[in-house]
Amino acid sequence: MSIKEIENQYLTENGMHLKPINKENAIKELKDLYDILGCWTNKNPGPTIGDLSIMNKNKKLILLQIGSSAYYINADSRISGVKEFLLNQDKPWKLIVNNRGVRNKVTNSIDEKPIPYFYMYKKI
């Protein structure tokens, strides 16, 4: 997918946020996820992937369907968290315990700790 295609399909008109990615257009390849997030971080992004002036902070903004597993990234994920996630893209994803005690939070940090301000979860 070209940068222009990503911008047209996934970024808001001003390029500051990502458009919602739902079941109908769920991301199916990790490379596409990394390309979309990378494109957003290289533009003039807002502080979060979603426009929090028009949506709830914990809105499931990006849906992924990787094989039989479904994941989502919340709208309030910040650019700093997304950048760290992208820096670790060659590391495997690990499920860790979220703040409610459920093992569904995704991290790819080397120390298997949560990535600050990056809110990605596996649907269980």
Side-chain angles (χ1 to χ4, degrees):
M1 189 177 315
S2 73
I3 291 174
K4 196 49 128 176
E5 289 173 315
I6 291 171
E7 289 174 351
N8 290 336
Q9 188 171 349
Y10 296 105
L11 298 185
T12 57
E13 201 169 302
N14 63 12
M16 292 182 67
H17 304 284
L18 290 170
K19 297 175 187 174
I21 301 170
N22 53 35
K23 287 182 187 178
E24 289 75 40
N25 63 342
I27 297 170
K28 301 196 181 324
E29 302 289 333
L30 291 180
K31 181 185 181 327
D32 291 340
L33 173 65
Y34 295 130
D35 288 349
I36 292 164
L37 293 176
C39 183
W40 174 70
T41 61
N42 289 327
K43 296 298 283 178
N44 186 21
T48 57
I49 61 170
D51 185 350
L52 300 185
S53 70
I54 60 171
M55 62 183 65
N56 293 329
K57 66 180 186 172
N58 62 350
K59 176 180 173 49
K60 296 172 183 168
L61 187 70
I62 299 175
L63 270 64
L64 299 95
Q65 186 67 49
I66 309 295
S68 62
S69 296
Y71 303 87
Y72 59 92
I73 303 174
N74 285 348
D76 58 341
S77 293
R78 296 186 192 176
I79 190 164
S80 61
V82 171
K83 284 183 174 181
E84 184 173 339
F85 179 74
L86 289 172
L87 283 174
N88 297 327
Q89 67 183 276
D90 61 331
K91 307 291 184 268
W93 292 4
K94 300 285 185 180
L95 290 181
I96 58 176
V97 176
N98 69 17
N99 62 358
R100 294 184 182 141
V102 178
R103 186 174 296 277
N104 74 330
K105 187 169 177 64
V106 175
T107 188
N108 62 355
S109 70
I110 297 167
D111 59 7
E112 298 184 16
K113 294 193 179 198
I115 297 171
Y117 306 113
F118 185 69
Y119 307 110
M120 181 174 177
Y121 302 91
K122 181 176 183 181
K123 285 189 174 185
I124 53 173

